[in-house]
């Protein structure tokens, strides 16, 4: 057999290297120009779990843009955890937040949406360690956002922090993608209309958990609530919705803030709704909060399935 010359070997190595470079470039271009997912799109891609160590952008995350005036109070002894654009109270016994508080305003909602990162990971700010994505694996429950990703889609860091597991709660998939999604979208509509609203949302946690999932024993709530206050219009609204699929109109679940306080044991907006403003906790006017009926029809026809 004829022996290959050194020039032949060099040509082979050159071609192999060139092929590797071209293949790598093609892979990079494919990733860069793949279709981006909006923050409201249900998860279909594999989810990335990251370690709980703080990244450089998360160092010193105990500071927050959220005013102390909008934070509720509770007797459950939750740990107050502050992120850049939302604050939560983490209850170790249930491995989730009892409430998450934040502001929604028109200017931020009108920004171009950042890409949904899907980087679910433990919250490094929870001193007792939060739940992990593995707690939800094969559980039959979604990692349901309390502070919606789309509510924080005005910049990359804000939306990324909504994927901390401290902001997750076990939700029935048809609830998460159905009526809870509709309420999240309506809440953003109301923020645009009212200019600015304060939102406090969370699970209705039982005194004793009936169902738990994962190694961390994350409590599965029977229901969820959302409390809304429009400070400029001095209007309030609240909801309590069972953690299950629903074909009922949204306002069948509307109620006063007083009712949510009675069910959860949480005092909402104690620094803002006091004195003459305290009456706002006991009543609400549905006509002040218009609903897009198209979403309700879409929930029944598509989202619940």
């Amino acid at each position: 057999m004829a022996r290959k010359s050194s020039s032949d070997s060099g040509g082979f190595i050159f071609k192999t290297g060139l092929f590797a470079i071209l293949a790598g470039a093609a892979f990079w271009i494919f990733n860069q120009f793949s279709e981006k997912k909006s923050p409201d799109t249900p998860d279909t891609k594999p989810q990335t779990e990251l370690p709980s160590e703080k990244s450089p952008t998360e160092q010193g995350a105990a500071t927050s843009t959220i005013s102390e005036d909008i934070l509720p109070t509770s007797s459950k002894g939750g740990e107050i955890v502050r992120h850049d654009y939302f604050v939560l109270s983490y209850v170790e016994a249930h491995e989730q937040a009892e409430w998450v508080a934040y502001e929604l305003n028109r200017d931020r909602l009108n920004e171009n949406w950042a890409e949904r990162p899907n980087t679910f990971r433990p919250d490094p700010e929870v001193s007792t360690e939060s739940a992990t994505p593995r707690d939800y694996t094969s559980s039959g429950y979604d990692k349901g956002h309390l502070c919606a990703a789309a509510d924080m889609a005005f910049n990359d860091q804000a939306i990324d922090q909504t994927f901390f597991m401290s902001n997750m709660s076990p939700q029935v998939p048809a609830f998460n993608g159905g009526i809870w999604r509709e309420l999240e979208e309506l809440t953003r509509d109301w923020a645009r209309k009212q200019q600015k609203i304060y939102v406090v949302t969370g699970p209705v946690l039982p005194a004793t958990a009936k169902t738990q999932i994962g190694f961390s024993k994350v409590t599965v709530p029977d229901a969820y609530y959302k409390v809304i206050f429009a400070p400029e219009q001095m209007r309030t609204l609240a909801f309590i919705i069972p953690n299950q699929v629903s074909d009922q109109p949204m306002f069948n679940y509307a109620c006063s803030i007083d009712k949510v306080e009675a069910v959860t044991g949480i005092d909402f907006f104690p620094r803002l709704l006091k004195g003459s403003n305290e009456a706002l906790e006991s009543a609400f006017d549905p006509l002040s909060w218009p609903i897009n009926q198209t979403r309700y029809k879409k929930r029944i026809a598509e989202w619940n399935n």
Side-chain angles (χ1 to χ4, degrees), residues 45-64:
K45 296 179 181 179
Q47 298 163 350
T48 304
E49 180 179 349
L50 299 181
S52 61
E53 288 81 3
K54 298 180 187 179
S55 70
T57 59
E58 291 163 4
Q59 297 293 338
T63 60
S64 178

Side-chain angles (χ1 to χ4, degrees), residues 51-76:
S52 61
E53 288 81 3
K54 298 180 187 179
S55 70
T57 59
E58 291 163 4
Q59 297 293 338
T63 60
S64 178
T65 62
I66 301 301
S67 169
E68 295 290 310
D69 287 345
I70 77 170
L71 303 186
T73 59
S74 171
S75 59
K76 290 187 175 68

Side-chain angles (χ1 to χ4, degrees), residues 215-229:
F215 179 80
S216 302
K217 298 188 181 301
V218 183
T219 298
V220 178
D222 290 331
Y224 290 85
Y225 69 85
K226 196 177 290 287
V227 173
I228 303 168
F229 174 42

Side-chain angles (χ1 to χ4, degrees), residues 113 121 157 187 250:
W113 277 9
R121 61 203 187 277
Q157 184 166 327
T187 303
M250 184 63 68

Side-chain angles (χ1 to χ4, degrees), residues 43-288:
D43 295 334
T44 56
K45 296 179 181 179
Q47 298 163 350
T48 304
E49 180 179 349
L50 299 181
S52 61
E53 288 81 3
K54 298 180 187 179
S55 70
T57 59
E58 291 163 4
Q59 297 293 338
T63 60
S64 178
T65 62
I66 301 301
S67 169
E68 295 290 310
D69 287 345
I70 77 170
L71 303 186
T73 59
S74 171
S75 59
K76 290 187 175 68
E79 178 185 359
I80 304 301
V81 178
R82 292 172 171 82
H83 292 298
D84 289 344
Y85 297 98
F86 63 91
V87 177
L88 60 90
S89 174
Y90 194 84
V91 179
E92 175 67 17
H94 295 286
E95 290 293 1
Q96 62 197 281
E98 58 175 326
W99 55 257
V100 179
Y102 57 99
E103 176 187 319
L104 272 180
N105 67 65
R106 183 187 303 166
D107 291 341
R108 287 176 181 169
L109 290 173
N110 287 340
E111 293 284 344
N112 292 329
W113 277 9
E115 184 177 6
R116 181 184 174 102
N118 273 14
T119 49
F120 294 94
R121 61 203 187 277
D123 189 338
E125 295 296 330
V126 176
S127 64
T128 56
E129 298 185 359
S130 70
T132 74
R134 289 188 180 91
D135 290 318
Y136 288 71
T137 301
S138 302
S139 69
Y141 293 93
D142 282 357
K143 295 186 283 294
H145 280 72
L146 297 176
C147 174
D151 291 352
M152 298 287 130
F154 52 87
N155 73 43
D156 291 333
Q157 184 166 327
I159 191 173
D160 184 60
Q161 289 180 352
T162 68
F163 285 85
F164 286 134
M165 293 303 296
S166 57
N167 187 45
M168 302 298 147
S169 183
Q171 294 182 345
V172 171
F175 168 85
N176 181 30
I179 193 168
W180 192 245
R181 174 181 177 176
E182 182 185 358
L183 181 55
E184 289 175 338
E185 294 190 6
L186 286 170
T187 303
R188 290 190 286 276
D189 288 348
W190 294 328
R192 292 184 180 97
K193 179 178 176 59
Q194 315 273 14
Q195 181 69 41
K196 176 176 70 176
I197 61 175
Y198 300 139
V199 181
V200 183
T201 188
V204 178
L205 295 173
T208 303
K210 293 184 293 184
T211 305
Q212 297 176 315
I213 61 171
F215 179 80
S216 302
K217 298 188 181 301
V218 183
T219 298
V220 178
D222 290 331
Y224 290 85
Y225 69 85
K226 196 177 290 287
V227 173
I228 303 168
F229 174 42
E232 296 181 8
Q233 294 79 15
M234 296 303 290
R235 296 171 182 162
T236 61
L237 183 64
F239 295 88
I240 300 176
I241 308 178
N243 187 15
Q244 60 191 36
V245 64
S246 172
D247 61 2
Q248 296 297 306
M250 184 63 68
F251 267 104
N252 283 14
Y253 301 105
C255 62
S256 67
I257 291 179
D258 276 344
K259 181 173 181 179
V260 182
E261 290 181 338
V263 170
T264 62
I266 300 171
D267 186 7
F268 298 98
F269 308 117
R271 302 185 187 187
L272 301 176
L273 300 181
K274 60 183 180 179
S276 60
N277 294 334
E278 195 169 354
L280 292 172
E281 297 187 51
S282 60
F284 66 95
D285 179 13
L287 296 179
S288 300

